[in-house]
Amino acid sequence: MSNRTKLLFLLSPLLLLSLSLTCQAHNITKILALHPEFSDFNHYLTETRLASEINRRLTITVLALDNSAMAPLVARHLTMQTMRHILSLHILVDYYGSKKLHQLSRSSTLSSSMFQATGAAPGTTGYVNITDHKAGHVTFSAEDLPDGESPATFVKSIKEFPYNLSVVQISTVLASPEAEAPVPPPPPVNLTELMYAKGCKAFADLLLATADVQTTYVDNIDGGLTVFCPTDPAVKAFMPKYKNLTDPHKVQILLYHGVPVYYSMQMLKANNGVVSTLATGGGTKPTYTYAVQDDGDIVTLETKVDTASVKTMIHDEDPLSIFSIDKFLQPKEMFKAVLAPAPAPAAHKKKKKKGKGTEAASSPDDAVDGPDASPSDEDAADSNSAHTFGVSLMAVVMAVFASIVF
């Protein structure tokens, strides 16, 4: 193996590390929360579940509207689905920072919005025209801009993570008859009927037998709900334990199988980490949570008592998804957690006298073995310093690569 090949081999991990750091997730909710003048826009991104769509994409541009620009839109009392269509037109699936907007090739370009990319827009009506006029004047207009309507104009850049996320302010809502068209409400969904048809009859019967639990599930559908439904064999295997539970514990463990957020299979794989459930209470330390982990082609749910695998998708249509799992989820709040094997005892050594002012080492019992032990998605998403470091590291590595190869 030549020296050049060896060096390239050694530098490969650094390149992968730099790419992973520069592609860290962003959190649009946190970014806009630093700017109170965008509170209405931020609120409706969350209500329409567009915020989570923005956060999971690597390359995105958000055309943000301040409260005064949002006011006429809010005053129309549109359905949430129509509001989603309008706001998704303001999310471009490409990166446009301030510099790029003012240096457009041929002074104009056509960019696909999330309204177009998701297939909600008929034809090409989900595209946005971006035009760089003289003296730095940049305008945005929907492809189906009505005659007599004026395009929106660029106001300022709010936040940029080069080539990943750009948040810019525009002057007004992008006018689009297609995006503003009334959207009929989705037909009501019968949760238990869906479960009956796909091998989760036993779990559906448990929900039906507990009226308060069924009501809680149904009430959470409109706001987004993911249900992990144990298969009939899994329920049968757990029934001896279930029958010994108190009534309040039966309620809690049934609620434990519902997550008050809509997750598609793709989103589950992209959002590894601890999730709250319908059983999660308030307080500084969340209870009744579990970790979602993507293990290759298999998604697992880890409760610290047992680990269930997602088997099949029963239903997946925003705002509701239902997945079958191969085990009944057992919360550590009710059952004894499975502890990791203890390490072999170290050879006995003479203890050194601890000097004054030296802190005692923490014992194993001091470690927190719960859902709070790992950082939350939101904390990881807003790591600007790591992003900057990643960019710098990638630049150095790429420069070394170039010197070797060329």
Side-chain angles (χ1 to χ4, degrees):
M1 183 184 292
S2 68
N3 290 335
R4 175 187 292 183
T5 305
K6 289 180 180 178
L7 190 53
L8 286 172
F9 179 78
L10 292 172
L11 284 174
S12 295
L14 285 176
L15 181 60
L16 292 174
L17 173 62
S18 65
L19 287 172
S20 67
L21 287 169
T22 54
C23 293
Q24 277 198 354
H26 36 254
N27 190 306
I28 187 63
T29 304
K30 278 192 171 185
I31 292 170
L32 291 175
L34 299 175
H35 306 273
E37 66 272 26
F38 296 96
S39 59
D40 288 344
F41 184 75
N42 199 11
H43 167 75
Y44 281 101
L45 285 183
T46 300
E47 287 295 304
T48 57
R49 294 184 294 282
L50 286 170
S52 60
E53 289 286 323
I54 294 169
N55 292 341
R56 73 182 181 87
R57 289 178 177 262
L58 291 178
T59 306
I60 206 84
T61 298
V62 180
L63 308 179
L65 301 160
D66 66 13
N67 293 344
S68 61
M70 281 290 294
L73 193 61
V74 174
R76 293 168 63 181
H77 302 291
L78 302 168
T79 64
M80 202 55 65
Q81 190 60 40
T82 300
M83 181 68 81
R84 178 184 170 90
H85 283 179
I86 294 172
L87 294 186
S88 65
L89 187 64
H90 295 71
I91 303 167
L92 308 181
V93 292
D94 198 355
Y95 176 82
Y96 290 97
S98 178
K99 182 178 180 180
K100 183 177 179 179
L101 288 172
H102 291 89
Q103 295 179 355
L104 294 176
S105 176
R106 299 182 181 179
S107 299
S108 66
T109 190
L110 195 63
S111 179
S112 176
S113 70
M114 195 175 289
F115 184 43
Q116 181 73 33
T118 57
T124 60
T125 56
Y127 283 92
V128 175
N129 289 294
I130 308 174
T131 306
D132 179 20
H133 303 272
K134 294 181 179 179
H137 182 63
V138 179
T139 60
F140 303 82
S141 61
E143 183 73 348
D144 61 337
L145 178 71
D147 293 338
E149 293 278 357
S150 300
T153 59
F154 172 84
V155 177
K156 64 180 180 181
S157 174
I158 300 171
K159 189 72 175 180
E160 294 183 17
F161 294 115
Y163 314 113
N164 292 138
L165 170 72
S166 174
V167 184
V168 301
Q169 180 185 358
I170 61 173
S171 59
T172 59
V173 175
L174 299 178
S176 167
E178 289 295 344
E180 297 167 16
V183 180
V189 175
N190 190 312
L191 194 63
T192 52
E193 280 189 5
L194 290 171
M195 294 180 185
Y196 263 68
K198 298 293 179 70
C200 284
K201 180 180 183 300
F203 187 75
D205 285 338
L206 293 178
L207 295 184
L208 290 171
T210 315
D212 290 344
V213 172
Q214 184 192 9
T215 300
T216 301
Y217 270 84
V218 173
D219 288 347
N220 277 273
I221 291 176
D222 287 344
L225 179 66
T226 300
V227 182
F228 296 108
C229 172
T231 59
D232 291 344
V235 175
K236 182 179 179 181
F238 183 72
M239 281 309 291
K241 288 185 179 180
Y242 183 82
K243 290 177 180 178
N244 288 330
L245 295 175
T246 64
D247 287 344
H249 277 168
K250 288 179 179 177
V251 169
Q252 288 295 90
I253 202 168
L254 292 177
L255 293 176
Y256 190 56
H257 289 74
V259 175
V261 178
Y262 165 75
Y263 287 110
S264 64
M265 179 60 80
Q266 182 182 5
M267 293 168 71
L268 281 177
K269 291 183 176 182
N271 288 277
N272 285 355
V274 176
V275 295
S276 297
T277 68
L278 295 176
T280 300
T284 55
K285 185 176 181 180
T287 57
Y288 291 97
T289 62
Y290 41 80
V292 178
Q293 298 293 334
D294 176 22
D295 185 14
D297 292 332
I298 301 173
V299 174
T300 60
L301 310 176
E302 301 174 5
T303 73
K304 296 189 182 297
V305 178
D306 62 353
T307 298
S309 298
V310 175
K311 305 305 289 183
T312 60
M313 180 185 70
I314 294 176
H315 178 84
D316 184 9
E317 187 174 341
D318 193 356
L320 173 66
S321 61
I322 308 173
F323 301 95
S324 69
I325 55 177
D326 63 355
K327 291 183 182 178
F328 209 103
L329 297 174
Q330 301 178 46
K332 61 184 177 60
E333 288 80 4
M334 294 184 195
F335 303 93
K336 187 176 181 179
V338 177
L339 301 177
H348 180 71
K349 292 183 180 180
K350 187 177 179 180
K351 292 183 178 179
K352 292 182 179 180
K353 187 176 180 181
K354 187 167 60 178
K356 187 177 180 181
T358 304
E359 294 183 2
S362 300
S363 69
D365 292 337
D366 292 334
V368 177
D369 186 22
D372 285 349
S374 59
S376 68
D377 291 338
E378 289 189 349
D379 292 339
D382 202 34
S383 180
N384 294 350
S385 59
H387 180 276
T388 303
F389 173 72
V391 172
S392 302
L393 179 59
M394 184 168 67
V396 172
V397 175
M398 290 302 293
V400 177
F401 261 94
S403 67
I404 297 170
V405 175
F406 302 107

